Amino acid sequence: MPFVKKHAALLALAVAVILVLGAAIDVDASKNGGIFSLKDISGSRKALDGVTIRGELSDGYQRTEFKLTDGRLDTHASWNGQPEWLGTSWTMRTGSKTIPGRFYNVQNEGGAFSLSSHDSDESGSSIGFFKVARVSPPLSFPEGVLYSNPLNYGVAVIGERVFYTVPAAAGVKGKGIIYEVNFYDWFGSNGMQSGEFASRAVVEYSLISEKDSDRGISVLGLEAVGDKLVLLTEEDETLRIRSYDSASGSLLGDARLPDFRADILPTNKSFYRASYLSDAEEQSNRLLLHFQNLSLTRPLLLSVNLTDGAEVETAVRMELGDEQEEDSFQGFTYARERNGKLYVVKTVREINEDLPGFYRLMLPLHAYIYVYEDSRLIYQGEFVTDLNDDSIELATRPDPSRGISEDPMRYRAFRNLAID
Amino acid sequence: MDILKGFYRLLNREFVSWTPFLACLLAGSLILPIMLINSAITDEFRSSYLQRYEDLYAASGSELVFLIAFVLLCLYFLVTIYARYWGSKSIYTYLTLPVGRLSLYWSKLAVFAISLLLLIGEQFLVYRLGYSIMAGRLSGIRLLNSGLTSEDINFLMNNGFYLAHVRSEFCRILLPLGFSRLLSSLCLFMVISTGLYYGALCERSRKFYGFVPVGISAYLVVRVLLYRMNEASHALNPTGLYPSSLLLLAFAVFFIVHGSRIIRRGAIA
């Protein structure tokens, strides 16, 4: 005991240091304790040769980065000193796409369509002043016929130039026009301004089907890839994809996908939802399109090559089966055409018809890789992760009707996907 | 060498005189949180709502126990300073001892720092033990309301302790992740221990202007702690912690330099 008494302070310091260092080592060592692997479901992993798929599974506090090169998976786990805000799938989307730092709203103001441009911050919420532009297309809307999609599906942006066409539903009379619009400051220094910022009609197109003059076409939306404009319409039960030069307005290409019907609120199970998602890849001049169908189990993925006119390279009508469905709440789909194959990373949710609607959002998510060649599935694999552990607290919540959160700070999600 | 030997002897003597209090404090802040966590888990099962461990820990009151223990330790530190002026008035003996007045200063400060470090280190033990208790109790349960059992769902998150640690603001302050956080926590630690001592020395030597820097540093400590307790909600407008850390460090150095000068000059007699 005299020894302990003589060196009590030093011994205590040693104990304290051991406790603190032990905890630090313990936490650091368990950093890589999460599960992250690739499980083959069908086909050969050889389909992944020649591509690198990278991304991360992250929340605001920590992340696991992964890199899948030629079918070999590497992961790296790390934590954040300062927690990061990562944004949600709710970040302000303009129609089918997210425009970095900006979003557009469109309103019908008694025949004139008014576009407002909002700057958005990292969290996706609107900040500061906004700008306004107006167009008055020669359209008349018969009783009960309006639009085929939310109005901002008609917005396309090329650099600082903004284009607009009205997503008119089939039956709307008049003439379809793609405008290049000019914005002015709302309540700018000169007060309200108008007239002096006239918009320019770039492209005119018919709203009547070419095959059957009694039927109209429905305009789904306008997209931009590089300096080309892409008009998506549904006519004669096909998806028509026309590409235009954004400066001259000349038609560059015209492609059709047969056997396609879309509606804003589909009633028939074989219909697709008109509110599609798009992803433009400028380097390779491609437009990736993603349509959900009513039952959420048979999505349509399209890769359109615009290098030489317009060509539907890959059209995949996916079959998710009876046990899982697309997740319109948190799910994501990322697709890229590489080496003549379409690579898709996608999360889908399990189905349980017995559960009430709210609880279904707590059912497990699965992250899959699909590889399609000539529109046929040649490989499917699953990223096996701990992703679903985050919803344990939700699954046991006594009253989920109070709302469930998609807090990106606390819930892991796949982010920053890239396929090279 | 003699000075160091004297300091070392004084340090251990001081520490031994703290041990009865310290033992009670450490025992209390080990047993109480474990009991609190345990009963919080029982409450969870009754309400069928399983929170994540970091939320459970905060909700159980264990963080509050740490705060109380921390305040008690600070108070005890002040008591040991003032006790030398009461009763036997041992301060006058100490000040005339041949060990050097600086040893007196440093030994007291070191004993407080070691005690604080022990208390903090113990929190990690509590956090770990609490997690093990929760993990143990989560297997083979049936939730009373929903009827869910651990066979339906694995209630325990894989690699959950790591996640509970990096997602807990409490742990992130005590055991920081990354250099800027580590520096910030160290500076907080230093300024709290030196500032407390400096305040007492100023009061004893009737240098009341010393309360001004103590007050400013206390304000800074509160600001930094408020930020770090809510780092997640500051994710959109994060502030660098280096300026505040350097300022705190400067205060700590000032407290040490001026505090030890007060002692050396015997102004506290």
Side-chain angles (χ1 to χ4, degrees), chain A residues 14 22 31 40 69 91 100 112 201 347 401 419:
Chain A
K31 184 168 73 173
D40 298 326
T69 314
T91 39
T347 56
S401 61
I419 300 177

Side-chain angles (χ1 to χ4, degrees), chain A residues 6-9 12 26 30 34-35 59 61 79-83 386 389-390 392-393 396-397 409-410, chain B residues 8 12 15 48-50 52 55 128 154 157-159 162-163 165-167 169 172 177 181 227 231-232 235:
Chain A
K6 240 175 158 176
H7 304 283
D26 185 24
S30 56
I35 295 172
D59 57 46
Y61 296 105
W79 56 56
N80 296 334
Q82 163 71 50
D386 304 324
D389 284 1
D390 283 346
I392 291 173
E393 59 169 349
T396 63
R397 189 177 267 193
M409 190 59 79
R410 290 166 54 86
Chain B
Y8 189 71
N12 286 302
F15 188 82
S48 287
Y49 176 27
L50 300 183
R52 293 184 183 177
D55 299 331
R128 182 92 231 195
N154 179 12
M157 289 166 87
N158 181 45
N159 208 24
Y162 168 71
L163 291 170
H165 194 103
V166 298
R167 286 170 175 174
E169 305 284 358
R172 291 163 58 86
L177 311 168
R181 268 63 198 164
Y227 180 84
E231 269 187 318

Side-chain angles (χ1 to χ4, degrees), chain A residues 11-86:
Chain A
L11 291 172
L13 180 65
V15 171
V17 167
I18 287 170
L19 280 173
V20 174
L21 279 185
I25 292 166
D26 185 24
V27 171
D28 192 61
S30 56
K31 184 168 73 173
N32 290 308
I35 295 172
F36 206 116
S37 62
L38 179 67
K39 189 175 85 184
D40 298 326
I41 292 177
S42 69
S44 156
R45 209 181 270 202
K46 281 210 164 57
L48 297 171
D49 283 353
V51 292
T52 302
I53 300 171
R54 69 181 96 225
E56 62 181 43
L57 181 66
S58 56
D59 57 46
Y61 296 105
Q62 51 91 39
R63 59 165 56 83
T64 303
E65 288 160 290
F66 66 90
K67 193 168 131 193
L68 185 62
T69 314
D70 301 332
R72 215 184 50 254
L73 184 67
D74 294 310
T75 60
H76 176 250
S78 59
W79 56 56
N80 296 334
Q82 163 71 50
E84 281 172 26
W85 181 263
L86 297 164

Side-chain angles (χ1 to χ4, degrees), chain A residues 166-232:
Chain A
V166 177
V172 172
K173 304 276 184 278
K175 195 187 284 173
I177 297 175
I178 301 175
Y179 294 98
E180 181 173 352
V181 297
N182 277 308
F183 282 90
Y184 54 91
D185 286 338
W186 191 61
F187 286 129
S189 50
N190 306 327
M192 289 283 270
Q193 305 164 56
S194 62
E196 50 205 296
F197 293 93
S199 46
R200 174 175 80 98
V202 183
V203 177
E204 293 190 8
Y205 57 92
S206 167
L207 290 177
I208 296 163
S209 157
E210 282 173 13
K211 287 186 183 152
D212 180 354
S213 57
D214 289 341
R215 287 172 68 175
I217 68 166
S218 88
V219 181
L220 297 175
L222 186 67
E223 301 299 328
V225 181
D227 58 355
K228 299 183 182 95
L229 291 170
V230 182
L231 181 69
L232 300 172

Side-chain angles (χ1 to χ4, degrees), chain B residues 10 13-14 84 90-97 99 104:
Chain B
L10 204 57
R13 187 179 288 254
E14 178 78 22
R84 286 180 177 167
S90 65
I91 184 74
Y92 304 108
T93 324
Y94 274 109
L95 286 176
T96 52
L97 278 181
V99 289
L104 187 67

